[in-house]
Amino acid sequence: MENLLVNPDTGQEYENVPVKVAAKFLDVAPTQIYEGLQQGRLPYGCGVKGKGGRWTYCIPCERLKAFRNGVDIDALKQTLNSLIAKTN
């Protein structure tokens, strides 16, 4: 299943996973991911609505893999932010 995250054009792992690839990787419908990202409910990515009303999606590969492996991404972000704040 990990090979789904490899861009067939480059042979390298996606940095920003396309929604349809992410849906296949998680075995869910793409509409679930589109809607979840638009509503800010999915911890592994985000959706941003542009001036023309068109949505752009960002799904970092490492976050998607961590999510599928059961990592609590929100807790991880809080921990990392705390560590960063302590070093500043």
Side-chain angles (χ1 to χ4, degrees), residues 6-88:
V6 173
N7 183 331
D9 295 332
T10 66
Q12 300 294 317
E13 198 168 72
Y14 288 104
E15 287 184 35
N16 183 30
V17 181
V19 171
K20 290 180 181 180
V21 173
K24 198 169 197 175
F25 183 71
L26 296 175
D27 196 26
V28 299
T31 54
Q32 289 179 285
I33 295 182
Y34 285 120
E35 290 174 11
L37 293 175
Q38 289 173 8
Q39 296 169 5
R41 294 181 181 216
L42 299 177
Y44 52 79
C46 65
V48 178
K49 191 172 186 179
K51 290 181 182 179
R54 186 177 171 102
W55 285 88
T56 302
Y57 302 95
C58 179
I59 304 174
C61 191
E62 293 303 318
R63 291 179 83 181
L64 183 64
K65 290 191 296 186
F67 176 80
R68 195 183 81 180
N69 289 329
V71 173
D72 183 344
I73 295 172
D74 289 328
L76 181 60
K77 281 193 323 188
Q78 289 176 353
T79 300
L80 291 173
N81 288 337
S82 294
L83 291 171
I84 291 168
K86 287 179 184 178
T87 60
N88 290 332

